[in-house]
mmCIF file of all heavy atoms in Angstrom:
data_model
loop_
_atom_site.group_PDB
_atom_site.id
_atom_site.type_symbol
_atom_site.label_atom_id
_atom_site.label_comp_id
_atom_site.label_asym_id
_atom_site.label_seq_id
_atom_site.Cartn_x
_atom_site.Cartn_y
_atom_site.Cartn_z
ATOM 1 N N THR A 578 -9.466 -4.400 8.718
ATOM 2 C CA THR A 578 -8.938 -3.519 9.689
ATOM 3 C C THR A 578 -8.405 -4.288 10.969
ATOM 4 O O THR A 578 -7.321 -3.969 11.493
ATOM 5 C CB THR A 578 -10.069 -2.635 10.215
ATOM 6 O OG1 THR A 578 -10.536 -1.856 9.079
ATOM 7 C CG2 THR A 578 -9.667 -1.673 11.289
ATOM 8 N N MET A 579 -9.064 -5.364 11.285
ATOM 9 C CA MET A 579 -8.646 -6.197 12.431
ATOM 10 C C MET A 579 -7.339 -6.886 11.971
ATOM 11 O O MET A 579 -6.387 -6.911 12.876
ATOM 12 C CB MET A 579 -9.678 -7.269 12.720
ATOM 13 C CG MET A 579 -10.854 -6.690 13.324
ATOM 14 S SD MET A 579 -10.667 -6.093 15.007
ATOM 15 C CE MET A 579 -10.364 -7.610 15.967
ATOM 16 N N ARG A 580 -7.169 -7.422 10.860
ATOM 17 C CA ARG A 580 -5.972 -8.035 10.403
ATOM 18 C C ARG A 580 -4.843 -6.991 10.412
ATOM 19 O O ARG A 580 -3.681 -7.354 10.873
ATOM 20 C CB ARG A 580 -6.126 -8.509 8.980
ATOM 21 C CG ARG A 580 -6.300 -10.024 8.880
ATOM 22 C CD ARG A 580 -6.332 -10.499 7.394
ATOM 23 N NE ARG A 580 -6.216 -9.549 6.278
ATOM 24 C CZ ARG A 580 -4.932 -9.186 5.805
ATOM 25 N NH1 ARG A 580 -3.868 -9.591 6.277
ATOM 26 N NH2 ARG A 580 -4.932 -8.325 4.896
ATOM 27 N N LEU A 581 -5.073 -5.803 9.919
ATOM 28 C CA LEU A 581 -4.013 -4.800 9.892
ATOM 29 C C LEU A 581 -3.608 -4.374 11.318
ATOM 30 O O LEU A 581 -2.455 -4.210 11.582
ATOM 31 C CB LEU A 581 -4.543 -3.563 9.094
ATOM 32 C CG LEU A 581 -3.513 -2.556 8.734
ATOM 33 C CD1 LEU A 581 -2.339 -3.144 7.938
ATOM 34 C CD2 LEU A 581 -4.120 -1.440 7.888
ATOM 35 N N ALA A 582 -4.618 -4.257 12.198
ATOM 36 C CA ALA A 582 -4.271 -3.889 13.559
ATOM 37 C C ALA A 582 -3.501 -5.055 14.345
ATOM 38 O O ALA A 582 -2.463 -4.705 14.959
ATOM 39 C CB ALA A 582 -5.583 -3.659 14.350
ATOM 40 N N ARG A 583 -3.879 -6.213 14.103
ATOM 41 C CA ARG A 583 -3.134 -7.317 14.711
ATOM 42 C C ARG A 583 -1.669 -7.449 14.170
ATOM 43 O O ARG A 583 -0.751 -7.592 14.837
ATOM 44 C CB ARG A 583 -3.912 -8.583 14.576
ATOM 45 C CG ARG A 583 -5.200 -8.577 15.409
ATOM 46 C CD ARG A 583 -5.935 -9.906 15.216
ATOM 47 N NE ARG A 583 -5.241 -11.138 15.441
ATOM 48 C CZ ARG A 583 -4.982 -11.720 16.607
ATOM 49 N NH1 ARG A 583 -5.447 -11.033 17.679
ATOM 50 N NH2 ARG A 583 -4.256 -12.780 16.701
ATOM 51 N N ARG A 584 -1.539 -7.190 12.879
ATOM 52 C CA ARG A 584 -0.218 -7.288 12.281
ATOM 53 C C ARG A 584 0.649 -6.150 12.895
ATOM 54 O O ARG A 584 1.793 -6.359 13.174
ATOM 55 C CB ARG A 584 -0.283 -7.120 10.709
ATOM 56 C CG ARG A 584 0.995 -6.868 10.100
ATOM 57 C CD ARG A 584 1.977 -8.151 10.157
ATOM 58 N NE ARG A 584 1.480 -9.250 9.492
ATOM 59 C CZ ARG A 584 1.636 -9.500 8.221
ATOM 60 N NH1 ARG A 584 2.284 -8.760 7.438
ATOM 61 N NH2 ARG A 584 1.136 -10.624 7.671
ATOM 62 N N SER A 585 0.086 -4.918 12.987
ATOM 63 C CA SER A 585 0.771 -3.748 13.560
ATOM 64 C C SER A 585 1.251 -4.098 14.959
ATOM 65 O O SER A 585 2.393 -3.840 15.430
ATOM 66 C CB SER A 585 -0.029 -2.564 13.602
ATOM 67 O OG SER A 585 -0.349 -2.174 12.224
ATOM 68 N N MET A 586 0.293 -4.739 15.805
ATOM 69 C CA MET A 586 0.612 -5.069 17.209
ATOM 70 C C MET A 586 1.751 -6.017 17.290
ATOM 71 O O MET A 586 2.640 -6.051 18.030
ATOM 72 C CB MET A 586 -0.561 -5.423 17.924
ATOM 73 C CG MET A 586 -1.514 -4.327 18.195
ATOM 74 S SD MET A 586 -2.925 -4.844 19.162
ATOM 75 C CE MET A 586 -4.175 -4.739 17.895
ATOM 76 N N GLN A 587 1.622 -7.064 16.310
ATOM 77 C CA GLN A 587 2.692 -8.042 16.298
ATOM 78 C C GLN A 587 4.041 -7.458 16.041
ATOM 79 O O GLN A 587 5.093 -7.760 16.665
ATOM 80 C CB GLN A 587 2.392 -9.135 15.204
ATOM 81 C CG GLN A 587 3.485 -10.152 15.173
ATOM 82 C CD GLN A 587 3.565 -10.897 13.866
ATOM 83 O OE1 GLN A 587 3.206 -10.306 12.874
ATOM 84 N NE2 GLN A 587 4.160 -12.028 13.814
ATOM 85 N N ARG A 588 4.189 -6.592 15.091
ATOM 86 C CA ARG A 588 5.438 -5.945 14.727
ATOM 87 C C ARG A 588 5.969 -5.163 15.818
ATOM 88 O O ARG A 588 7.120 -5.109 16.116
ATOM 89 C CB ARG A 588 5.292 -5.113 13.410
ATOM 90 C CG ARG A 588 5.129 -6.033 12.157
ATOM 91 C CD ARG A 588 5.128 -5.243 10.992
ATOM 92 N NE ARG A 588 4.801 -6.061 9.759
ATOM 93 C CZ ARG A 588 4.699 -5.584 8.596
ATOM 94 N NH1 ARG A 588 4.935 -4.343 8.351
ATOM 95 N NH2 ARG A 588 4.505 -6.392 7.541
ATOM 96 N N LEU A 589 5.110 -4.390 16.506
ATOM 97 C CA LEU A 589 5.494 -3.558 17.668
ATOM 98 C C LEU A 589 5.961 -4.507 18.745
ATOM 99 O O LEU A 589 6.976 -4.125 19.467
ATOM 100 C CB LEU A 589 4.331 -2.755 18.157
ATOM 101 C CG LEU A 589 4.632 -1.629 19.085
ATOM 102 C CD1 LEU A 589 5.692 -0.675 18.636
ATOM 103 C CD2 LEU A 589 3.362 -0.799 19.534
ATOM 104 N N SER A 590 5.346 -5.663 19.011
ATOM 105 C CA SER A 590 5.750 -6.575 20.063
ATOM 106 C C SER A 590 7.197 -7.132 19.704
ATOM 107 O O SER A 590 7.975 -7.355 20.563
ATOM 108 C CB SER A 590 4.765 -7.802 20.115
ATOM 109 O OG SER A 590 3.586 -7.269 20.635
ATOM 110 N N VAL A 591 7.474 -7.315 18.475
ATOM 111 C CA VAL A 591 8.820 -7.873 17.971
ATOM 112 C C VAL A 591 9.835 -6.702 18.398
ATOM 113 O O VAL A 591 10.917 -6.969 18.853
ATOM 114 C CB VAL A 591 8.822 -8.297 16.589
ATOM 115 C CG1 VAL A 591 10.279 -8.374 16.073
ATOM 116 C CG2 VAL A 591 8.009 -9.455 16.398
ATOM 117 N N VAL A 592 9.532 -5.433 17.923
ATOM 118 C CA VAL A 592 10.434 -4.282 18.136
ATOM 119 C C VAL A 592 10.768 -4.151 19.678
ATOM 120 O O VAL A 592 11.889 -3.918 19.997
ATOM 121 C CB VAL A 592 9.843 -3.043 17.611
ATOM 122 C CG1 VAL A 592 10.594 -1.768 18.070
ATOM 123 C CG2 VAL A 592 9.782 -3.037 16.076
ATOM 124 N N HIS A 593 9.707 -4.355 20.501
ATOM 125 C CA HIS A 593 9.931 -4.212 21.975
ATOM 126 C C HIS A 593 10.581 -5.510 22.503
ATOM 127 O O HIS A 593 10.926 -5.553 23.745
ATOM 128 C CB HIS A 593 8.611 -3.956 22.632
ATOM 129 C CG HIS A 593 8.092 -2.542 22.497
ATOM 130 N ND1 HIS A 593 8.761 -1.408 22.980
ATOM 131 C CD2 HIS A 593 7.085 -2.034 21.814
ATOM 132 C CE1 HIS A 593 8.127 -0.295 22.733
ATOM 133 N NE2 HIS A 593 7.049 -0.693 21.985
ATOM 134 N N GLY A 594 10.749 -6.521 21.745
ATOM 135 C CA GLY A 594 11.339 -7.692 22.314
ATOM 136 C C GLY A 594 10.387 -8.599 23.136
ATOM 137 O O GLY A 594 10.819 -9.503 23.894
#
Side-chain angles (χ1 to χ4, degrees):
T578 301
M579 291 291 290
R580 256 185 1 86
L581 192 55
R583 290 177 55 80
R584 171 63 67 85
S585 299
M586 286 182 254
Q587 179 207 21
R588 290 187 186 177
L589 191 57
S590 294
V591 169
V592 167
H593 285 293

